[in-house]
Amino acid sequence: MVASTVEPEFRGARRRLVEALQDKGIRDLALLRAIDTVPRHLFVPPTVRHRAYEDSALPIGSGQTISQPYVHARSVEQLMLTGKEKVLEIGTGSAYQTALLAELAAQVFSVERYRELLDKARPLLQQANVRNVSLSLGDGTLGWREYAPYDGIVVSAGAPHVPQALEEQLAEGGRLLIPIGDKEEQMLTLFVKRGGRLERRDITPVRFVPLIGAQGWPG
């Protein structure tokens, strides 16, 4: 879980962000509390820290971005977390979404393919006092089989299809959120596993960096 580290200079901006997300239709109160608690300014580069609570995507290095807060909120809300779940995150990135998930789930397992980003994420999560997250460097398209099955899986990169490994590692009744499409534009898609099969529901058009790996786009 995340210990509140609201610095006075960011308190008003963070509250305005929460209100803006409510105006855009985010209704999950636990999620809104998490957004009001997690210090997003810790997870963005110092050069753009003054923009940390804008509802916009920001660069974080290695050709990656931290997504727009509304996209994070809309994505995490679809998982319908109650605090008891085990969640797999593909693409640690800035680790901001990782920290949000840590507020809302019992355990979070996050896989990142870029060592530079993972090396930045570890101390940031420690600084935010996040304790219930495990990180791994590897090919996210292969999941993290050791701790499967997962009640929720969230993929933070665009894929041409659902990686077979992630389908296999999703628990019965579990929810998988992944952007599906080409490299330029995708549809944020929710899959629920029922009777061993995935039921699909399209959420909203999005643009994510490509999901590179053995069961995604070739590197």
Side-chain angles (χ1 to χ4, degrees):
M1 303 296 285
V2 179
S4 181
T5 55
V6 181
E7 298 178 20
E9 63 183 299
F10 294 113
R11 187 176 293 122
R14 195 179 315 184
R15 183 53 50 86
R16 287 191 294 274
L17 174 60
V18 170
E19 291 171 353
L21 295 177
Q22 287 179 301
D23 289 343
K24 289 185 175 182
I26 302 301
R27 295 288 177 261
D28 187 320
L29 293 180
L31 172 58
L32 291 167
R33 282 195 297 270
I35 292 169
D36 197 34
T37 299
V38 175
R40 190 173 188 252
H41 61 275
L42 292 183
F43 298 94
V44 303
T47 54
V48 292
R49 190 154 291 166
H50 62 288
R51 299 181 58 197
Y53 296 100
E54 293 179 9
D55 192 16
S56 59
L58 298 170
I60 58 171
S62 299
Q64 308 294 296
T65 61
I66 179 173
S67 293
Q68 176 187 0
Y70 174 72
V71 172
H72 276 141
R74 187 79 187 273
S75 299
V76 173
E77 190 173 47
Q78 300 301 319
L79 296 178
M80 299 179 65
L81 299 173
T82 65
K84 301 176 182 179
E85 295 85 2
K86 182 167 55 173
V87 174
L88 174 65
E89 178 188 42
I90 304 303
T92 311
S94 68
Y96 173 68
Q97 179 175 262
T98 316
L100 289 179
L101 291 169
E103 278 283 287
L104 299 166
Q107 291 179 289
V108 180
F109 298 87
S110 187
V111 182
E112 174 56 56
R113 74 183 300 266
Y114 293 105
R115 182 177 295 278
E116 176 187 358
L117 292 179
L118 202 65
D119 288 345
K120 290 179 181 178
R122 292 185 191 280
L124 290 175
L125 289 169
Q126 291 174 355
Q127 188 177 350
N129 200 31
V130 177
R131 303 297 185 204
N132 56 333
V133 169
S134 299
L135 302 176
S136 177
L137 180 70
D139 182 349
T141 69
L142 302 179
W144 196 341
R145 195 169 297 277
E146 181 180 358
Y147 298 102
Y150 300 96
D151 305 298
I153 299 177
V154 57
V155 181
S156 300
H161 51 74
V162 176
Q164 182 66 30
L166 300 187
E167 181 176 349
E168 292 172 355
Q169 291 172 39
L170 186 66
E172 178 67 20
R175 303 168 78 83
L176 164 63
L177 195 71
I178 181 171
I180 297 290
D182 57 33
K183 289 186 177 181
E184 302 303 321
E185 189 172 42
Q186 307 90 32
M187 176 63 68
L188 185 61
T189 308
L190 176 69
F191 293 91
V192 181
K193 197 172 198 178
R194 303 189 193 281
R197 299 173 62 88
L198 295 183
E199 298 179 358
R200 173 174 179 157
R201 180 162 65 89
D202 292 345
I203 306 300
T204 187
V206 290
R207 287 187 177 184
F208 278 81
V209 297
L211 179 66
I212 297 172
Q215 297 185 22
W217 296 104

